[in-house]
Amino acid sequence: MAESQAPHIAIIGAGIFVKTEYIPRLAEIPNLFVLSAIWSRSEESARSAVEVAQKHFPNVECKWGDAGLEEIIKDSSITGVAVVLAGQAMVDMSLRLLKAGKHVLQEKPAAETVDEAEKALAHYSSLRATLTHQPIWAVAENYRFEPAIIESKKLISEIGEMINIQVIIEGSMNSSNPYFASSWRRQFVGGFILDMGVHFVAGLRMLAGCEIASLSSMNSHVDKTLPPPDNISSIFQLENGCSGVFVLVVNSKSPKIIWRVVGLNGVLQVERGIKDGQHGYSVSLNMADGQSKSFFYQFSGITDELKTFLSDVSTANLKKDQSSHIDPRLSFAESARDVAVLEAMLESGKRQGALVQVKKF
C-alpha cells in the first residue's frame, strides 16, 4: 500500500506489551500503515518505547503528558490509535479518542466490569449524533485470530453433537514472568483471573460456536504472592444444552493450556506446545472409527488482529460515511461477552458456587 493511502496510527502506551509485542508485530507489516507517534504519561516512558520503535520506524515521534496527547487528538492525519494502557484506564481513554473521531484498537479486556462495558457501549452509540462518521472501536483479543482456533472451529462439525467441553488452564504467573509485578493487574477487579481468563473464554466461545448461559464456580486463594482469587473451578452450560468445565490456575509449576471438545463421533483437542522450536498449538482430531488427524499452528494472532484492524481502518477512511465496517471478532461487544463470563465466575465464587446467569450483550 502506498504511504499516502496507508493509515497513520499512534500508540497510546509504552509498557512491556508495546515494546515486546506491538512494535515487533507491527514491524512485520510496515507496508500497511505509518507509525506516527508513541505516547506515554511520562517522557521517560515514551522515549524508552520510541527508542525500540525507531529501529523499524525511524520517523516515529515521541509524545508524552497532557500536551502530547492533545497533539495526537488534534492531528487529523492520525486516523487510528492503539490503546495499550493499564486496564483501569483503557475505556476512558478509548472513549476520549473515539469522541475525537479516531478509530481505536483497545487492548483486552474490554472493560473491568460488565457495568463499565454497558455504559461504554451506550456512550459509543451516542457519538453518532455528533460525528460525521462512526469511528471503529475494536478490542484486541488475539485468541480469536489464532490459526489453531480458527481451523479447529472448522473441524467441530466432524465430531458430531457436542457432549462436553473441558478447558484446563495452568498458567505461569510467577516472579520470572515480566507481568508478575504489574501493579494495575494486582489492583484490577479479579486480578490476573480476568486479565488472563478472557483469552481462554474467547477460545472456548469461538470453538463452541455458542454462548455460555449459566455457570457455577468455586474460587480460592492459595498462592499468597498473587491477588485473590488465584484459581477458579467452574461448571458451565451452553445455550445449546452442552455442559463443560473451566479450570484456571494462575500459577503452576507445569504450565498447560487445553481446550477439549467431546462429541458423539469424536474428540477435538487444542493444546499449547512447541514444535521444531516454534511456539503454537497442537490440534488433534480423534474419531470414533479410529481415524485421527493432527496439526500444528504457530502463534500469529497478534499480527493477524493488527492486519485486520488496519484493513478495517483503511476501508473506513476511503468510505468516509456514517457506517464503518469492523470484523466481528474485533467488536467491543464480542470482547465484553468474555468479560461477562469471567465476572459471572467471580460472582458465583463469592456466593459459594451459586448458579449465575451470564449477562448477554
Side-chain angles (χ1 to χ4, degrees):
M1 182 182 295
E3 185 170 313
S4 59
Q5 295 179 320
H8 288 232
I9 69 168
I11 299 175
I12 303 298
I16 297 170
F17 201 64
V18 168
K19 296 174 187 174
T20 62
E21 291 295 338
Y22 265 74
I23 293 171
R25 301 293 79 77
L26 286 170
E28 296 173 2
I29 50 174
N31 60 312
L32 299 182
F33 68 99
V34 175
L35 182 58
S36 297
I38 296 178
W39 175 91
S40 187
R41 285 174 296 176
S42 71
E43 179 180 359
E44 180 183 7
S45 176
R47 289 198 181 283
S48 68
V50 167
E51 184 178 341
V52 175
Q54 283 179 331
K55 298 172 186 176
H56 310 285
F57 310 102
N59 297 321
V60 62
E61 294 185 9
C62 185
K63 305 284 186 180
W64 65 88
D66 293 341
L69 182 60
E70 195 62 27
E71 288 172 5
I72 289 174
I73 288 173
K74 291 181 176 179
D75 188 340
S76 60
S77 72
I78 296 176
T79 55
V81 182
V83 177
V84 195
L85 299 172
Q88 296 91 333
M90 283 197 293
V91 169
D92 285 347
M93 179 63 79
S94 294
L95 286 170
R96 182 176 176 182
L97 292 160
L98 289 162
K99 187 177 180 180
K102 309 294 187 187
H103 301 296
V104 171
L105 175 66
Q106 174 195 313
E107 254 306 315
K108 60 83 196 164
E112 193 169 8
T113 64
V114 168
D115 183 60
E116 182 183 39
E118 290 178 326
K119 291 177 180 177
L121 278 172
H123 190 164
Y124 176 54
S125 296
S126 72
L127 295 179
R128 293 178 182 175
T130 58
L131 296 174
T132 57
H133 70 283
Q134 177 78 354
I136 291 168
W137 192 0
V139 176
E141 175 44 76
N142 55 292
Y143 276 49
R144 274 188 266 276
F145 291 84
E146 287 296 346
I149 305 292
I150 294 170
E151 295 306 314
S152 294
K153 181 176 174 61
K154 297 175 184 177
L155 296 172
I156 283 289
S157 62
E158 297 190 31
I159 66 171
E161 185 176 352
M162 286 186 287
I163 299 172
N164 184 264
I165 302 179
Q166 302 146 41
V167 183
I168 309 296
I169 311 299
E170 298 173 9
S172 57
M173 190 54 64
N174 53 52
S175 58
S176 64
N177 190 303
Y179 300 103
F180 178 76
S182 169
S183 60
W184 75 259
R185 290 175 175 85
R186 291 177 173 275
Q187 296 161 9
F188 209 46
V189 173
F192 288 103
I193 289 286
L194 179 60
D195 184 52
M196 294 169 57
V198 288
H199 282 314
F200 312 118
V201 170
L204 163 61
R205 292 178 50 243
M206 192 163 170
L207 285 173
C210 185
E211 297 300 330
I212 298 170
S214 60
L215 54 84
S216 171
S217 297
M218 298 299 290
N219 311 337
S220 62
H221 187 207
V222 179
D223 187 342
K224 299 305 188 286
T225 67
L226 297 166
D230 70 322
N231 68 90
I232 280 182
S233 296
S234 182
I235 300 172
F236 62 83
Q237 185 168 45
L238 300 175
E239 290 180 347
N240 65 7
C242 177
S243 62
V245 295
F246 181 99
V247 177
L248 171 55
V249 178
V250 175
N251 184 43
S252 166
K253 300 301 180 185
S254 180
K256 185 178 292 292
I257 298 175
I258 296 175
W259 293 267
R260 184 176 174 88
V261 187
V262 181
L264 281 174
N265 301 327
V267 176
L268 177 70
Q269 180 165 302
V270 183
E271 181 173 5
R272 181 176 289 191
I274 302 175
K275 183 177 181 180
D276 299 329
Q278 300 296 320
H279 291 261
Y281 292 98
S282 295
V283 176
S284 60
L285 178 66
N286 295 288
M287 305 302 292
D289 61 6
Q291 295 187 44
S292 63
K293 302 176 185 177
S294 62
F295 312 90
F296 184 83
Y297 299 92
Q298 293 180 31
F299 293 145
S300 69
I302 295 175
T303 303
D304 292 344
E305 74 185 357
L306 289 169
K307 283 181 181 178
T308 304
F309 172 70
L310 292 167
S311 175
D312 287 349
V313 170
S314 295
T315 300
N317 287 346
L318 289 172
K319 289 174 65 177
K320 297 184 183 299
D321 59 15
Q322 186 63 238
S323 64
S324 289
H325 166 80
I326 181 173
D327 187 299
R329 293 173 294 174
L330 284 173
S331 78
F332 184 92
E334 183 66 14
S335 283
R337 296 180 186 110
D338 300 331
V339 174
V341 172
L342 266 298
E343 183 171 282
M345 289 180 181
L346 291 166
E347 175 63 24
S348 177
K350 289 178 182 177
R351 294 165 53 191
Q352 290 74 50
L355 186 67
V356 173
Q357 302 297 314
V358 177
K359 176 71 179 181
K360 293 184 179 181
F361 279 88

